[in-house]
Amino acid sequence: MQGPPFTPPGRTAGSRSSIGSVARELAGLFKLRIGLAVTLSAVAGMATVPGPVPEAWRIAVVAAAVLLASSSAGAFNQIAERDLDARMRRTRGRPFVTGRYAVGPLWYGVIVGLLAVGVGAAALALNGLAALNVFLGAFVYGVVYTLWLKRRTWWNIVVGGLAGSFAVLAGATALDAGPTPAGLALAVVLFLWTPPHFWSLATVLKDDYAAAGVPMLPAVVGERRAARAILLNTALLVVASLVPFALGLGPVYLACAVLGGSLFLWRAWVLTRDPSRANAMRCFLASLVQLVLVLAGTMLGGWLGA
């Protein structure tokens, strides 16, 4: 049974809905799916530090800090891009576009508050370096990618990939030590993963990005050239994903990296042969499988010695 209708803070007058629908709306607004992937990356970063599994509270602080900072950046992204979202079929129903949520001091306060709590928790419970990495991850996505690059250059998502790298480094520095070589290598893997992952999705949504005037690579150079770029970047990613094994992660990590990398590389190659939207979506999904396997393999290899 759905809860009673109500108007949550920040909604415009007359926009009433059930608790469940508002929860789904807020999950989209804060981009929690992206946030959970970034959070998992941070936890995996902790596993690159030699030693036993960290205390549960320390893992919880890292996860909460990164998720709060990521949510802050996600909400800011939706406010800053509401004019672009209005020109894209996929995003024109977002609440800041339709006016269901009113842009104003309340939402800016929520965004700043989430970031402050996330960074502050990392600083107080962990250390300053971890807190800095939490902040930099949100800053890269919210400011560097959203405000500075997305509307100007197809390099937007290349540089934007640093957001995931800083999440890994936040976890890798949460144990009162600088990032290990394996932690730095995993941060490079996240950096290289983001462009082919997002360009695959951007190929599916090329017309939307073109209509909005956003210079995503497939909208700039076309599907066929973008597919070749995806294949090249995926090949670099697969090679880089083997480095953590050479730096101490176990055979389970290697198996996960090889399996996920092979799937992603095969799908990228198929995309170059037939750069259709269906193949682009399959390549996008393969990128998600590859990421999950690499992060799971990192935690198994780092904490279980597998």
Side-chain angles (χ1 to χ4, degrees):
M1 179 181 298
Q2 289 186 333
F6 71 105
T7 304
R11 276 205 172 210
T12 55
S15 56
R16 299 167 68 84
S17 186
S18 70
I19 294 175
S21 65
V22 170
R24 290 189 294 271
E25 192 172 63
L26 291 175
L29 188 151
F30 289 113
K31 299 195 172 186
L32 289 186
R33 285 186 295 181
I34 294 175
L36 290 174
V38 172
T39 300
L40 184 61
S41 302
V43 174
M46 300 181 77
T48 64
V49 180
V53 179
E55 303 95 321
W57 70 264
R58 199 180 293 268
I59 296 175
V61 170
V62 169
V66 171
L67 183 59
L68 288 172
S70 174
S71 298
S72 169
F76 179 75
N77 171 272
Q78 291 214 11
I79 287 179
E81 293 185 353
R82 61 192 185 278
D83 60 321
L84 297 180
D85 288 343
R87 301 199 290 269
M88 299 176 63
R89 286 173 297 176
R90 181 176 66 99
T91 56
R92 63 180 53 156
R94 286 177 172 173
F96 288 125
V97 176
T98 63
R100 288 196 304 278
Y101 288 172
V103 177
L106 172 63
W107 276 107
Y108 287 115
V110 168
I111 289 167
V112 172
L114 288 174
L115 181 60
V117 171
V119 174
L124 293 174
L126 301 172
N127 57 67
L129 186 55
L132 176 62
N133 284 310
V134 170
F135 171 78
L136 289 175
F139 180 81
V140 166
Y141 186 78
V143 177
V144 177
Y145 168 70
T146 300
L147 295 185
W148 295 352
L149 298 178
K150 185 169 183 177
R151 300 172 190 251
R152 294 180 173 87
T153 173
W154 64 265
W155 285 90
N156 47 25
I157 202 64
V158 177
V159 179
L162 286 171
S165 300
F166 282 121
V168 171
L169 294 177
T173 56
L175 304 178
D176 299 318
T180 63
L184 292 171
L186 186 62
V188 172
V189 170
L190 264 291
F191 175 72
L192 292 173
W193 175 82
T194 304
H197 161 76
F198 199 88
W199 287 338
S200 298
L201 180 62
T203 299
V204 178
L205 304 172
K206 180 180 75 71
D207 293 343
D208 258 3
Y209 284 118
V214 179
M216 289 299 173
L217 185 64
V220 174
V221 303
E223 296 96 329
R224 195 164 297 277
R225 290 179 63 188
R228 290 197 290 268
I230 289 170
L231 178 61
L232 174 61
N233 279 263
T234 303
L236 293 173
L237 165 65
V238 171
V239 172
S241 71
L242 303 178
V243 173
F245 169 72
L247 295 174
L249 294 182
V252 170
Y253 170 83
L254 178 62
C256 290
V258 169
L259 179 60
S262 297
L263 175 63
F264 194 4
L265 191 60
W266 174 58
R267 280 298 176 190
W269 180 82
V270 170
L271 185 62
T272 63
R273 312 305 297 174
D274 176 19
S276 65
R277 293 181 181 179
N279 280 331
M281 179 55 72
R282 293 185 186 104
C283 193
F284 171 75
L285 294 175
S287 72
L288 295 175
V289 173
Q290 193 256 0
L291 177 65
V292 170
L293 285 173
V294 164
L295 297 181
T298 300
M299 287 182 275
L300 290 171
W303 285 338
L304 301 183

